[in-house]
Amino acid sequence: MNSLAIFTTRLKSFLSDIPSLSIILIGIVMSVALSGWQNAADDRYPVSVVNEDRGEYGELVVSQMEKEEGLKITRDTLESASEKFHLGKTPCVLVINEDFTKKLKAGDHKDLIAFRASQDNLGSSYASETAINATLKIWAEEYSFLKLQDVTGNRGDRAAFDKMAEEIWAGGSHVSVDGTELLSSAPVEEQQDAHRTALPLYAAFAMFYLLIGGTWMIRLQNSGLLERSAQKNYSLVTFSLMEGLPGVLIALTGAIPAILLSEGAPAFLQILHMLLYLLSALGITFTICSVCRTFSTLIYASLTVTGIFSAYSGMFTKLPEWSSALKWFKLLLPGYYFMDGIQTGGSMIGALLCMICWIAVGFLAVFLRKKSRT
């Protein structure tokens, strides 16, 4: 029996192991469903807008706000919007007063808009700034036109003035600011919404699949097949890899749907990082299965290791601040490098070194287990 025959036989065994294979299938279904839910979810900041303006400018402000991609504008009545606000169904209400247009045409900029927002909601500043900027744009045009009338002493061509103003606004700002970076300033930490991608969820299932699929090692060790393979001049490294790599291949194939649906780094980089992650998980599998003597012990160890490694790698949610006290522990976790890789396409050096270390530890564990039997 050559290496290819060992690999093929083990692959057929993995594919016929329905209970273990169902873990990968569940991971695929859940990750795809999660990704579909995230893509369908509307994460824009909701704003209820009440336009009571009797003129034409209130509608211009509402239209400008509706163009903002980050805002979800709902046109509403004052009574309905107030009720929704008090019931917590909308975090922000903007009311354009009835004399909005009249005041702007008179050059008055006071008491134009009423604004209500929850104090604990960060999106309210975005909504208010959008409304203020749109109002200032209209007010500036009206004020400039009124001043122009005072200077020239005639009414002038308002249509030509509006066209010129639109061209100026469309051209962007004509003011430039030279910025100076302070060397002593602390860098702003980039927030990563790791839980917003389907791939980390699948990766956790994949690690559990490889660990729980390590029952083949327990059976091989108990049957003495490792010793007999050594007698036929099969090295421990070759034999272990040919037995373990089929599981990695299945898990990597199952990751493709989640990779295609995930945001972040390019797909080919995510595949490479997933491969390094799975090979590291294979080394962890060798280590855990060399220690476990029974199937029940393996189940408990697999659940514990998968849960701790995945959670502390930030694969489910952002870690609390106290976790930085054990930052050194992250360097041992394949998921730590995996998360950085799929989000930003980060360097593979750390992931590669982590994989090499875990594979080496796994081979050492298998070797020590074999020595203990002789």
Side-chain angles (χ1 to χ4, degrees):
M1 181 179 291
N2 56 29
S3 299
L4 181 59
I6 297 175
F7 179 88
T8 304
T9 301
R10 194 63 210 156
L11 179 61
K12 293 179 180 179
S13 177
F14 268 110
L15 292 175
S16 62
D17 188 358
I18 302 302
S20 295
L21 194 61
S22 63
I23 298 174
I24 287 295
L25 296 177
I26 293 174
I28 295 175
V29 172
M30 291 190 65
S31 60
V32 170
L34 175 62
S35 179
W37 174 78
Q38 290 169 349
N39 292 335
D42 191 349
D43 57 356
R44 294 177 298 170
Y45 181 73
V47 181
S48 293
V49 177
V50 180
N51 183 15
E52 296 187 326
D53 183 30
R54 296 178 180 178
E56 67 272 21
Y57 289 158
E59 179 61 29
L60 291 178
V61 173
V62 179
S63 299
Q64 183 64 37
M65 296 187 69
E66 288 177 333
K67 294 177 182 179
E68 291 292 325
E69 296 182 356
L71 297 179
K72 181 181 179 181
I73 303 300
T74 301
R75 296 171 182 260
D76 216 336
T77 63
L78 180 59
E79 181 180 357
S80 176
S82 299
E83 182 179 359
K84 291 179 181 178
F85 181 77
H86 289 298
L87 293 177
K89 295 182 179 181
T90 181
C92 181
V93 175
L94 185 145
V95 181
I96 301 176
N97 295 331
E98 61 181 13
D99 55 354
F100 182 82
T101 298
K102 181 180 178 180
K103 285 188 173 182
L104 282 182
K105 288 185 175 181
D108 187 2
H109 61 279
K110 297 180 180 180
D111 300 325
L112 299 173
I113 296 176
F115 193 78
R116 298 180 185 176
S118 302
Q119 293 183 355
D120 58 346
N121 208 305
L122 298 179
S124 60
S125 59
Y126 175 37
S128 62
E129 288 174 3
T130 302
I132 292 171
N133 289 338
T135 302
L136 285 175
K137 175 179 177 293
I138 299 172
W139 177 79
E141 292 177 2
E142 288 294 337
Y143 186 78
S144 300
F145 187 68
L146 290 174
K147 289 298 181 183
L148 183 62
Q149 286 181 328
D150 294 339
V151 173
T152 60
N154 58 64
R155 181 172 179 80
D157 187 352
R158 180 56 194 257
F161 179 84
D162 289 342
K163 182 179 179 180
M164 180 185 65
E166 284 300 324
E167 292 177 352
I168 293 175
W169 288 112
S173 174
H174 295 273
V175 180
S176 62
V177 178
D178 293 330
T180 302
E181 182 178 355
L182 299 178
L183 298 178
S184 60
S185 61
V188 178
E189 181 181 359
E190 182 178 0
Q191 302 295 328
Q192 299 287 355
D193 283 337
H195 60 285
R196 291 189 57 80
T197 177
L199 197 53
L201 176 64
Y202 175 83
F205 274 94
M207 173 174 281
F208 181 70
Y209 167 73
L210 292 178
L211 287 172
I212 205 69
T215 51
W216 63 268
M217 287 191 63
I218 296 178
R219 291 195 297 268
L220 290 180
Q221 291 165 356
N222 292 338
S223 64
L225 186 56
L226 286 175
E227 288 80 357
R228 292 197 297 272
S229 66
Q231 295 173 1
K232 295 181 180 181
N233 296 323
Y234 284 106
S235 68
L236 182 62
V237 172
T238 301
F239 187 81
S240 298
L241 283 177
M242 291 303 103
E243 290 282 344
L245 285 178
V248 173
L249 177 61
I250 294 173
L252 183 62
T253 303
I256 294 177
I259 289 175
L260 295 178
L261 293 172
S262 296
E263 298 179 354
F268 75 94
L269 287 178
Q270 295 194 45
I271 291 175
L272 289 177
H273 280 285
M274 174 61 77
L275 177 60
L276 293 176
Y277 170 83
L278 292 174
L279 290 174
S280 299
L282 181 62
I284 297 173
T285 299
F286 290 159
T287 305
I288 299 298
C289 293
S290 297
V291 176
C292 297
R293 306 300 176 108
T294 63
F295 181 65
S296 58
T297 305
L298 178 60
I299 293 179
Y300 176 78
S302 299
L303 287 171
T304 303
V305 170
T306 302
I308 294 177
F309 278 32
S310 300
Y312 203 79
S313 296
M315 296 172 68
F316 299 142
T317 185
K318 181 175 169 47
L319 295 174
E321 294 183 1
W322 60 261
S323 62
S324 59
L326 296 176
K327 188 175 182 180
W328 61 269
F329 182 60
K330 294 181 182 180
L331 302 178
L332 305 177
L333 306 180
Y336 172 72
Y337 305 99
F338 171 72
M339 291 302 299
D340 180 57
I342 65 172
Q343 291 174 341
T344 65
S347 174
M348 291 191 181
I349 297 178
L352 182 62
L353 292 176
C354 182
M355 182 270 291
I356 293 174
C357 290
W358 275 115
I359 289 292
V361 171
F363 285 149
L364 178 60
V366 173
F367 175 78
L368 294 177
R369 174 66 184 270
K370 178 183 176 182
K371 293 290 290 185
S372 66
R373 290 176 54 88
T374 58

